[in-house]
Amino acid sequence: MTDSATHDGHTPASGREPGHAGRGDPHGDGARHAPDPDGNGPPELLLGASDRDRLGQRLHHALAGFVDSPRDSVAEAAEVLDEVEKQLIASLQDRSSTLRAGWQGKGASSGRGVDTEHLRLTLRTYREVTERLLGT
């Protein structure tokens, strides 16, 4: 994998890395890890490694069974997509709530309590997540 490839081996359409995806998963567990205070580190994953592996295996099983049972294969693939959709939505809602609480919950109503560096990192995270979803 080259430096411009993401964790799944694909290069983003923009030709640049979203966050620091080229570093892979230094913790080796596929779990979400926040960047360092200076903004270094991998972007958080939307699904953990075990969920990605399990869903990938189910999809592979659906594809492999197409010749023998096309209708069942398509139904299984649809179920996999439904589960991925639910997990991604839950993950995005959790991330959004956490981000929002981080800048709104610390005295934001008074305009105090959140330093500019924290706001900068929060804005960058919003940008990275949105760009990943938009495929940019």
Side-chain angles (χ1 to χ4, degrees), residues 75-118:
E76 185 174 356
E79 289 174 11
V80 172
L81 180 59
D82 288 344
E83 186 173 343
V84 168
E85 177 185 357
K86 289 175 188 171
Q87 288 188 17
L88 287 174
I89 288 170
S91 178
L92 286 169
Q93 287 173 335
D94 180 52
R95 181 170 304 170
S96 179
S97 296
T98 300
L99 284 170
R100 189 169 286 114
W103 67 272
Q104 287 182 340
K106 295 182 178 179
S109 60
S110 67
R112 299 170 195 207
V114 181
D115 67 0
T116 304
E117 180 61 11
H118 180 79

Side-chain angles (χ1 to χ4, degrees), residues 6-83:
T6 61
H7 64 86
D8 63 357
H10 294 29
T11 302
S14 66
R16 62 182 174 82
E17 296 178 13
H20 299 275
R23 295 185 185 175
D25 182 11
H27 300 279
D29 58 5
R32 296 186 221 169
H33 298 282
D36 297 335
D38 63 357
N40 293 324
E44 294 183 30
L45 300 173
L46 294 173
L47 295 177
S50 62
D51 287 331
R52 288 192 321 270
D53 289 345
R54 180 180 54 81
L55 292 165
Q57 288 172 357
R58 283 187 57 201
L59 181 60
H60 178 74
H61 181 265
L63 297 172
F66 182 78
V67 172
D68 294 330
S69 183
R71 185 171 297 279
D72 291 342
S73 181
V74 171
E76 185 174 356
E79 289 174 11
V80 172
L81 180 59
D82 288 344
E83 186 173 343

